[in-house]
Amino acid sequence: MRKILLGNSDIQVSTQGLGCMGMSEFYGEAEPLNAYQVLKEAISLGVNFFDTADMYAYGENERLLSEILSQHPAREELIIATKCGIVRDKSQPTARHIDNSPEYIKASCDRSTLRLNTHIDLYYLHRVKDDKQSIKLAMQAMAELLSEGKIRAVGLSEVSADNILFAHDCLLTYTQGRQGLSAIQTEYSLLSRDVERNGVLDTCQQLGISFVAYSPICRGLLSGAIQSKDDLVVTDFRQNLPRFNQENLAHNNQFTQALAQLAQANNCTAAQLSLAWLSKHRTNVISIPGTKRIEYLRENVAAAAISLSQSDYQHLTELSDAFIVKGERY
């Protein structure tokens, strides 16, 4: 797996990472033993970039990663990204609120460090309040964490182009020009291309910030494996996502069918073609497909070797441009 520099840092990350959220919750029951095998296999295949968050299974996802970290002989070769900012309460599992206060950020960092039993390479604000003073204070806290060596780089998730610019400038100010934002994480796939239209991708390119694409296979929709809600277990949170209600799913799978035909012509799967398009579309994009299955991990990693022709790339882009996806992302 080829490695590249994470934006505005000295951190080398694999061009494809691994989203770990689904190993602990959201996509059905957690399977820790199977998750360990997937994580080990990912490392053996050259993946070194692992994405988690403090809110995934109330910290259990971070603890899962710590088990693998403790077994790896060269911790410095693995890059761990985690997040804070979305607060959950076990007594109200569906409730969420955003906290970007400096006190919360610092306390969350300490808690995540304890669960991971190591430093944090890339630390994100999971969601960002659309308030300049809040962003300013949050970046000051992040700068202090950088100076203390608790984190190596700073990122934001699901944020506007305007707030990226502002946060980047704030962080540069607080680090005396030494370090700006390193990563912006947002959903991005052939069926989720808002970041192209709202200036987020262009802003990242201009500022030298890496763009980390989560759900690059559109939460499995682009694989073609989900033809009905019956294909999802009852506890899978996609049961409640608009794109996966039966009417919208039937419509959205029309795109997947066209994708599958092109994939067959390229001797690959629809999921692999989706990942190949993403890597060709922008040079600063790092995808982090998530999976709980070794066979899907191997399939995703193999996509890094696909050389998509310019004509196929253009055809895919035009198909995506012309298709109107039904259902919001959340």
Side-chain angles (χ1 to χ4, degrees):
M1 176 75 67
R2 186 170 62 91
K3 292 183 174 61
I4 59 173
L5 271 177
L6 187 71
N8 301 314
S9 79
D10 61 356
I11 300 172
Q12 293 273 350
V13 296
S14 49
T15 53
Q16 186 184 121
L18 179 62
C20 300
M21 180 184 79
M23 295 178 178
S24 298
E25 68 170 337
F26 296 112
Y27 291 96
E29 296 302 315
E31 301 173 41
L33 293 177
N34 191 60
Y36 294 144
Q37 296 305 312
V38 172
L39 288 165
K40 289 178 181 178
E41 180 72 2
I43 294 170
S44 73
L45 292 172
V47 175
N48 82 330
F49 188 33
F50 298 91
D51 185 87
T52 183
D54 62 358
M55 62 94 65
Y56 299 160
Y58 306 97
E60 287 304 313
N61 199 241
E62 291 178 325
R63 292 189 182 94
L64 178 71
L65 267 178
S66 75
E67 293 292 323
I68 296 301
L69 290 172
S70 66
Q71 298 172 27
H72 199 268
R75 159 66 181 94
E76 66 278 4
E77 294 178 1
L78 304 181
I79 307 304
I80 306 303
T82 192
K83 316 176 196 73
C84 71
I86 300 179
V87 183
R88 298 176 68 190
D89 184 341
K90 283 187 178 181
S91 66
Q92 297 176 293
T94 61
R96 308 277 192 276
H97 76 268
I98 298 173
D99 192 338
N100 292 168
S101 68
E103 299 78 14
Y104 168 80
I105 291 170
K106 290 181 178 181
S108 293
C109 180
D110 288 342
R111 288 191 291 267
S112 288
T113 299
L114 282 172
R115 285 189 291 264
L116 290 163
N117 197 31
T118 186
H119 69 272
I120 295 166
D121 295 295
L122 172 60
Y123 200 38
Y124 290 99
L125 273 185
H126 207 162
R127 291 294 184 271
V128 180
K129 288 186 176 180
D130 189 13
D131 172 75
K132 293 297 191 287
Q133 182 63 16
S134 175
I135 293 171
K136 186 176 180 179
L137 291 172
M139 290 305 99
Q140 184 174 14
M142 288 292 198
E144 291 171 5
L145 292 174
L146 285 167
S147 69
E148 293 165 5
K150 292 183 176 180
I151 64 175
R152 297 175 63 195
V154 178
L156 304 176
S157 179
E158 294 282 358
V159 64
S160 70
D162 180 59
N163 284 337
I164 293 169
L165 279 164
F166 184 77
H168 183 72
D169 286 344
C170 287
L171 191 58
L172 282 170
T173 298
Y174 290 124
T175 61
Q176 297 181 323
R178 290 189 298 272
Q179 196 163 346
L181 292 174
S182 291
I184 299 299
Q185 183 177 142
T186 300
E187 184 173 347
Y188 186 33
S189 71
L190 279 162
L191 291 182
S192 302
R193 294 174 61 189
D194 289 344
V195 292
E196 295 175 28
R197 306 177 184 105
N198 60 20
V200 165
L201 267 184
D202 288 338
T203 299
C204 289
Q205 192 102 40
Q206 291 161 12
L207 299 177
I209 299 170
S210 294
F211 183 90
V212 179
Y214 76 81
S215 297
I217 310 171
C218 200
R219 303 192 186 279
L221 200 157
L222 290 170
S223 71
I226 307 169
Q227 294 298 310
S228 163
K229 289 183 71 171
D230 293 338
D231 294 324
L232 305 172
V233 297
V234 175
T235 54
D236 192 314
F237 90 127
R238 288 172 293 183
Q239 291 275 2
N240 299 311
L241 293 182
R243 289 187 178 180
F244 291 84
N245 77 41
Q246 200 56 53
E247 180 182 343
N248 291 344
L249 183 61
H251 169 83
N252 295 332
N253 269 327
Q254 293 176 34
F255 181 85
T256 303
Q257 289 163 12
L259 181 67
Q261 291 175 1
L262 189 58
Q264 188 174 19
N266 280 272
N267 297 312
C268 65
T269 67
Q272 288 175 324
L273 194 59
S274 302
L275 292 169
W277 175 86
L278 203 59
S279 63
K280 191 177 180 70
H281 200 54
R282 293 277 182 135
T283 57
N284 67 327
V285 172
I286 302 162
S287 63
I288 52 167
T291 184
K292 298 194 292 183
R293 300 283 179 265
I294 282 183
E295 60 268 30
Y296 293 150
L297 170 72
R298 291 171 177 162
E299 178 183 335
N300 292 342
V301 170
I306 295 173
S307 181
L308 195 62
S309 71
Q310 185 59 33
S311 61
D312 281 344
Y313 163 76
Q314 192 62 38
H315 182 47
L316 267 177
T317 304
E318 289 171 357
L319 281 174
S320 176
D321 287 339
F323 189 79
I324 300 174
V325 64
K326 285 191 175 181
E328 297 296 323
R329 295 192 290 125
Y330 288 99

